[in-house]
Amino acid sequence: MENHKKKLEEQIQELNILIKRSNRNVSKYKDLGNGQIHVSRCRGNFQYYYVDKMNGIRKYMGAEDEKAIRKYIQKDYELALNEKLKILHKRIDKFISLYDIKELTDVYDNLNEGRKRYVTPLIEPDDIYIQNWLEKHPGQQNPFPEEGLFQTNRGEMVRSKSEKIIADALDKYNIPYQYESMLELGYSTVYPDFVALNTITRKTIYWEHLGILSDMDYATKNFKKIHSYEKNGYLQGRDLITTMESSDAPIDVRLVEEKIREFLL
């Protein structure tokens, strides 16, 4: 199961920023007093009244008072929003302190080996899930492979230095992956450069490297391939990662690692 703690912590940081901005906005109205604007409707038109909460005095506000009306109503909004932001922050902060999705897999992981052999876990442990995933996505399936010239850190032979860079980056971050696994795209079969597993979300991601974009025929062929991916439901940034290079713009290693951190960790 996906651990949402990181997302919740990011939400807390966003709320911290909003609370700081909200506090500044609230402080702008500290000298405005405790009065409020009451809004009613008469014959389809809004009517505004200033109400002093201390003595109950009620005063009609006309068009000439629009600036004051705006200030009082904005003040009420800022105060209400400020309160809601702080309540939500407190709730999420408390939930994070109690939330640990790993407790579910720990129930199985903490069993001794004698008990594990008789248990079928409801949630597969990562090591079992990864092994099953690797078997489901075998590599080296391309029936017309080009001879690999570059050996990756994991030992497989790939066709280009850029593919080695991608493979070694996946290995560096301990991302389970296979090279040139088979994928059915509608009525055609393709062999993506890489298929990788996000072990946190347990989502399968395909990775295509477009290596000779300065060649028009190659670029056109790969444009059609990417279009086929998306036509069959594999959207870039969700199910598909692409990297690219040309003769005068080599692969960006920093960008490769950034994409791994964004989509696979």
Side-chain angles (χ1 to χ4, degrees):
M1 292 183 68
E2 184 174 359
N3 188 341
H4 293 280
K5 188 170 184 177
K6 182 179 178 181
K7 292 181 180 178
L8 289 169
E9 289 172 342
E10 290 173 353
Q11 184 83 83
I12 282 286
Q13 294 304 314
E14 291 176 8
L15 287 171
N16 284 335
I17 293 171
L18 287 173
I19 287 171
K20 287 181 180 179
R21 289 173 55 188
S22 178
N23 286 340
R24 288 196 296 269
N25 290 345
V26 167
S27 67
K28 296 176 184 178
Y29 301 97
K30 62 182 180 180
D31 298 326
L32 197 56
N34 295 319
Q36 286 185 314
I37 298 296
H38 174 76
V39 183
S40 62
R41 196 158 191 167
C42 180
R43 298 175 183 176
N45 296 315
F46 290 110
Q47 293 184 332
Y48 299 89
Y49 296 87
Y50 172 80
V51 178
D52 190 319
K53 292 191 293 184
M54 297 294 293
N55 54 35
I57 294 176
R58 178 184 172 99
K59 175 187 174 184
Y60 175 76
M61 304 284 278
E64 68 279 7
D65 301 307
E66 184 175 357
K67 188 175 180 179
I69 293 171
R70 186 182 303 276
K71 281 186 177 181
Y72 278 104
I73 291 180
Q74 184 69 33
K75 180 197 73 171
D76 290 344
Y77 164 79
E78 297 292 354
L79 289 171
L81 179 64
N82 189 265
E83 182 181 3
K84 288 295 183 183
L85 284 168
K86 291 176 179 177
I87 289 173
L88 187 58
H89 185 285
K90 186 175 181 180
R91 288 174 180 169
I92 296 177
D93 194 43
K94 182 177 181 181
F95 180 76
I96 288 175
S97 69
L98 300 172
Y99 172 78
D100 185 3
I101 201 68
K102 190 175 179 298
E103 290 180 5
L104 297 178
T105 53
D106 282 347
V107 175
Y108 176 81
D109 290 342
N110 291 337
L111 295 175
N112 64 47
E113 294 303 318
R115 289 182 177 274
K116 281 182 178 179
R117 68 173 60 185
Y118 292 106
V119 171
T120 301
L122 178 65
I123 304 169
E124 280 187 315
D126 282 346
D127 57 343
I128 296 176
Y129 187 90
I130 291 169
Q131 184 58 42
N132 290 338
W133 181 88
L134 290 170
E135 292 174 2
K136 185 179 177 181
H137 299 84
Q140 310 288 350
Q141 295 295 293
N142 192 340
F144 306 104
E146 297 179 22
E147 183 178 356
L149 300 175
F150 299 86
Q151 186 175 40
T152 69
N153 291 344
R154 206 174 70 170
E156 67 247 302
M157 300 302 294
V158 295
R159 291 187 301 275
S160 69
K161 184 177 179 181
S162 295
E163 288 184 343
K164 171 177 166 54
I165 287 171
I166 295 170
D168 290 347
L170 290 167
D171 185 61
K172 171 184 174 181
Y173 287 93
N174 297 314
I175 305 297
Y177 77 89
Q178 297 281 36
Y179 180 65
E180 290 197 330
S181 184
M182 184 176 70
L183 175 64
E184 300 290 344
L185 282 183
Y187 296 105
S188 64
T189 301
V190 297
Y191 303 91
D193 293 326
F194 300 94
V195 58
L197 174 67
N198 184 322
T199 57
I200 298 173
T201 63
R202 296 191 170 180
K203 182 175 177 61
T204 297
I205 303 288
Y206 293 92
W207 192 318
E208 290 282 8
H209 178 66
L210 314 180
I212 323 173
L213 287 183
S214 50
D215 183 301
M216 185 57 67
D217 289 339
Y218 177 91
T220 300
K221 176 183 175 182
N222 278 278
F223 171 80
K224 291 179 179 178
K225 179 193 283 190
I226 299 304
H227 177 70
S228 181
Y229 271 105
E230 298 206 316
K231 184 179 178 181
N232 286 279
Y234 296 90
L235 299 183
Q236 290 199 68
R238 188 189 72 185
D239 315 285
L240 176 66
I241 296 173
T242 57
T243 44
M244 58 194 71
E245 64 180 319
S246 64
S247 57
D248 57 352
I251 188 171
D252 187 335
V253 181
R254 178 194 57 79
L255 187 58
V256 168
E257 295 199 0
E258 187 175 328
K259 290 191 175 188
I260 290 174
R261 289 190 294 268
E262 178 67 24
F263 299 110
L264 292 166
L265 291 176

